[in-house]
Amino acid sequence: MLIVKPQNFLLPAPLPLDCGRELRQVNLRYETVGTLAPDGSNAVLITHALSGDAHVCGRHTPEDPKPGWWDEMVGPGRAIDTDKYFVVCSNVLGSCAGSTGPRSVNPDTGNPYNLDFPVITIRDMVRAQHELMKHLGIRKFLSVVGGSMGGMQAMEWAINYPDQVDSVIPIATTSQLSPQSIAFDWVGREAIKNDPNWNDGNYSADHVPEGGLATARMLAHITYLSDESMSRKFGRELQDADSYSFDFRRDFAVESYLEHQGRRFVERFDANSYFYITRAMDYFDLAARAGGDLARAFAGTRAAFLVVSFSSDWLFPTAESRKIVRALLRNRLNVSFCEIQSAYGHDAFLLEADVLGPMLRDFLANRLEAQHA
Amino acid sequence: MPKSLYLDLRRRPDLKIISELVHPGSRVLDLGCGDGSFLQMLREKRNAEVLGLEIDQQEIAKCIANGVPVIQSDLDTDLDFAEDNSFDLVILSQTLQQMRRPDQLLRQIVRVGRRAAVSFINFGHFHCRFQVFFAGSMPRTTQIPYQWYNTPNIHLGTIRDFQHLCRHLDIRILQETPIGFSFPLLTAAWPNLFAVGCVFVLEKA
């Protein structure tokens, strides 16, 4: 059994942010698996999605009931083989799973930041990861791999640190958040704001806006599935009874499932972090920084790309990945693109390990071989 | 690293002809590249900068395993990503007959490539003509073994048809190399009757 230990890295200097402010005493929670090769060629950074954390694979203790969030893909003998690669995964800035975020204590006041925490961007998250990279003595990542918001970070790596990434694998992602996604984020945050415990983010640990956060999660969770996957998984099945209750308690299996997802999310996630991370995604727009021309955004990029989308993903649909591919090809970069047929919707990037795995394995193997050629 | 075996060029004389058209270091786009082994060969033997387009997910996975950059594409709709003259050579081997609109694809490939190499299957071959004439049924060949109702090859034509289409589209034929497995002299003299296929090199007029 693979046992991994969470570690902490306190940034040696204040972190400058896109909003113009800077953050002092930033901590990054991270985990590493595998061994960095003497020539440093085998480091792979995995970037996580909205609600993810640094615990990508293995278990923290032998009794740990659940492995890391991408254990099917990452580990000894897996597609991203930790016997072969030195895998790094860190919790993003602004999150609530060990890295500095809005619930962290502001060193200037001694109190939690809450909404005094500066609004951060995806590029800020990557800037913090770059500090971790230096700390770990890695000169170049063989690859930066991430799905959804992780894919956004991966692309930021290719743009901002072109000499320090050999390849990038953005999965089920987009170069800019669509108005539809911004709208979903807004409604989710509104649900939290309307929770009686919200108190403008200054809620106490025993009175968190859990109803609002659960509603936000349920809404978002629908966008991670597809009509087909919901039909297959739940149909119109009733949860407990054989007939309708004729009241408004949950009758349907799908209602029960969403309720369960909402409840589980509240146990592990913080409402303020939800605000900051969804905002970071709202602001994500690679083309906007290059005068609206996505191809120009990748002008200095040198990495090889493997772009992957999923046929039933309607949150970040294939057309968004095609836009990225087109922009990369305009820069004559080494690009591969595959739309994987799947019914799982956006969540497919976590579930389609059987199809996605071999592609990642082969792509990484070829990149590593090219390093040594 | 998983590596597919190189194509046996003796079995695909059209690809041998096309490979000789690739100048060292040139930029090559293969439409319908399959598992990418032909591009892999062009990269290693001709030092070409290669890109493949392919529609099938399993073939794409093989391209990735072969280290060949590949973009999932439907050739009937997805060629607009490429800028004018952005490739030295665009290859279309034995694929034109599967397109919904071969004429539109031909326009695209001479736009995207400085030159295009099209390997064309000739249904004017005497064997095909005999099947229609004597057996009274649609031709089936070893290259195209399908029945008329299940064939992916929806736009079959003859060498003469292809030449007419190029003229109609203002596409210049720079070179044509008929391929015959037997009767070399007859193939050279009457390609439309004796060639099983033909490699055309095209450019925009």
Side-chain angles (χ1 to χ4, degrees):
Chain A
M1 185 186 290
L2 176 67
I3 302 295
V4 288
K5 265 183 73 170
Q7 301 176 74
N8 291 294
F9 165 56
L10 191 65
L11 268 62
L15 184 73
L17 302 171
D18 280 346
C19 68
R21 290 169 64 183
E22 56 177 34
L23 266 177
R24 294 201 295 125
Q25 296 180 21
V26 171
N27 183 66
L28 282 191
R29 175 73 52 88
Y30 70 98
E31 296 182 11
T32 70
V33 192
T35 313
L36 186 62
D39 64 356
S41 62
N42 70 337
V44 173
L45 177 69
I46 294 176
T47 45
H48 69 71
L50 197 171
S51 64
D53 53 33
H55 187 37
V56 61
C57 68
R59 284 160 211 266
H60 286 151
T61 62
E63 297 77 34
D64 211 345
K66 266 183 62 185
W69 58 269
W70 221 12
D71 194 68
E72 269 187 273
M73 190 68 81
V74 188
R78 301 278 158 88
I80 301 177
D81 188 348
T82 52
D83 290 337
K84 200 169 165 184
Y85 303 108
F86 178 61
V87 170
V88 182
C89 183
S90 69
N91 186 220
V92 295
L93 185 70
S95 186
C96 51
S99 292
T100 297
R103 291 298 265 176
S104 304
V105 171
N106 181 346
D108 294 334
T109 64
N111 296 317
Y113 286 101
N114 293 329
L115 294 197
D116 287 336
F117 195 73
V119 169
I120 51 163
T121 64
I122 302 292
R123 186 161 56 176
D124 292 331
M125 297 174 183
V126 167
R127 204 175 283 130
Q129 289 160 1
H130 186 246
E131 294 299 318
L132 175 64
M133 177 198 202
K134 290 191 275 185
H135 169 71
L136 293 173
I138 297 165
R139 282 192 305 275
K140 189 174 194 172
F141 279 117
L142 178 70
S143 198
V144 182
V145 187
S148 195
M149 189 182 84
M152 298 175 191
Q153 295 163 63
M155 288 185 286
E156 286 284 18
W157 266 97
I159 290 171
N160 292 290
Y161 306 103
D163 299 325
Q164 293 164 57
V165 279
D166 173 70
S167 69
V168 170
I169 309 182
I171 304 164
T173 193
T174 181
S175 62
Q176 55 176 190
L177 218 69
S178 68
Q180 189 188 49
S181 303
I182 294 171
F184 280 121
D185 284 350
W186 169 257
V187 176
R189 287 194 300 267
E190 281 297 295
I192 296 170
K193 276 189 210 160
N194 289 326
D195 188 292
N197 285 347
W198 165 242
N199 193 22
D200 288 327
N202 298 308
Y203 47 85
S204 64
D206 44 357
H207 285 96
V208 301
E210 47 183 29
L213 183 58
T215 302
R217 179 58 170 183
M218 289 191 285
L219 174 71
H221 201 89
I222 297 167
T223 71
Y224 306 152
L225 306 177
S226 73
D227 192 22
E228 188 183 347
S229 68
M230 288 171 110
S231 295
R232 273 196 207 169
K233 196 165 179 179
F234 311 109
R236 290 184 51 87
E237 293 300 309
L238 299 179
Q239 184 62 16
D240 301 317
D242 295 329
S243 57
Y244 298 158
S245 66
F246 290 98
D247 63 24
F248 297 100
R249 282 169 297 178
R250 57 169 166 72
D251 277 350
F252 293 98
V254 66
E255 295 172 336
S256 166
Y257 172 79
L258 286 176
E259 197 178 45
H260 172 73
Q261 292 296 332
R263 213 170 26 230
R264 259 187 33 202
F265 191 64
V266 169
E267 287 163 13
R268 67 184 178 90
F269 214 81
D270 170 64
N272 280 343
S273 280
Y274 199 82
F275 264 59
Y276 279 90
I277 296 177
T278 54
R279 204 51 163 168
M281 281 200 278
D282 292 347
Y283 285 173
F284 184 70
D285 184 350
L286 293 178
R289 300 201 313 244
D293 181 359
L294 186 58
R296 253 183 60 203
F298 288 109
T301 300
R302 280 192 279 284
F305 278 74
L306 172 59
V307 180
V308 181
S309 71
F310 296 92
S311 57
S312 58
D313 183 350
W314 56 277
L315 186 63
F316 298 148
T318 291
E320 296 296 333
S321 288
R322 283 198 180 281
K323 266 197 235 166
I324 295 166
V325 168
R326 186 170 308 195
L328 295 169
L329 286 173
R330 295 245 152 174
N331 289 291
R332 303 203 168 184
L333 291 166
N334 178 330
V335 190
S336 287
F337 165 67
C338 187
E339 178 196 49
I340 292 177
Q341 292 299 315
S342 169
Y344 286 121
H346 184 60
D347 260 355
F349 84 90
L350 295 169
L351 301 170
E352 292 283 9
D354 287 351
V355 189
L356 185 58
M359 283 185 197
L360 266 53
R361 180 195 302 269
D362 293 341
F363 182 80
L364 290 176
N366 281 318
R367 295 314 302 177
L368 187 64
E369 192 174 275
Q371 297 285 300
H372 294 151
Chain B
M1 182 176 94
K3 269 218 160 80
S4 69
L5 291 170
Y6 283 153
L7 289 165
D8 183 352
L9 291 185
R10 282 167 308 184
R11 286 164 172 275
R12 287 293 303 271
D14 57 329
L15 295 185
K16 184 162 189 300
I17 293 163
I18 291 171
S19 68
E20 283 157 9
L21 296 167
V22 176
H23 301 305
S26 59
R27 205 158 180 259
V28 177
L29 177 69
D30 187 2
L31 308 181
C33 66
D35 66 3
S37 47
F38 183 51
L39 285 178
Q40 195 185 4
M41 192 205 79
L42 293 181
R43 187 171 57 194
E44 287 176 27
K45 305 265 191 227
R46 306 269 171 198
N47 192 28
E49 190 191 330
V50 301
L51 179 67
L53 303 188
E54 175 56 50
I55 197 165
D56 185 279
Q57 186 177 306
Q58 266 142 21
E59 298 286 4
I60 289 167
K62 289 181 201 163
C63 286
I64 291 169
N66 286 329
V68 170
V70 60
I71 308 291
Q72 184 156 35
S73 300
D74 179 348
L75 300 181
D76 272 318
T77 52
D78 293 339
L79 218 60
D80 53 335
F81 74 84
E83 289 169 286
D84 294 2
N85 293 322
S86 53
F87 290 88
D88 297 307
L89 185 69
V90 179
I91 298 168
L92 185 68
S93 72
Q94 302 190 352
T95 305
L96 191 68
Q97 77 282 351
Q98 298 187 3
M99 294 297 106
R100 269 199 304 276
R101 288 295 298 268
D103 56 334
Q104 290 174 0
L105 183 61
L106 282 177
R107 265 206 193 99
Q108 286 282 329
I109 65 175
V110 294
R111 173 186 72 79
V112 168
R114 286 177 217 290
R115 292 186 306 161
V118 176
S119 159
F120 185 80
I121 298 170
N122 178 28
F123 262 63
H125 186 249
F126 73 91
H127 189 71
C128 298
R129 299 189 193 196
F130 279 8
Q131 284 184 62
V132 178
F133 192 82
F134 292 112
S137 59
M138 280 299 281
R140 288 173 70 199
T141 70
T142 44
Q143 275 176 300
I144 298 197
Y146 299 94
Q147 297 282 1
W148 64 272
Y149 49 82
N150 64 5
T151 182
N153 304 301
I154 53 177
H155 283 117
L156 298 164
T158 67
I159 288 177
R160 182 165 298 158
D161 290 331
F162 186 83
Q163 290 162 335
H164 284 159
L165 177 60
C166 288
R167 209 170 306 141
H168 175 66
L169 295 174
D170 258 344
I171 292 171
R172 189 178 297 133
I173 298 174
L174 299 174
Q175 179 187 323
E176 50 183 277
T177 314
I179 296 161
F181 289 110
S182 41
F183 322 115
L185 292 175
L186 294 172
T187 300
W190 294 286
N192 200 33
L193 192 56
F194 290 100
V196 293
C198 186
V199 174
F200 293 93
V201 181
L202 312 172
E203 72 174 14
K204 206 170 173 177

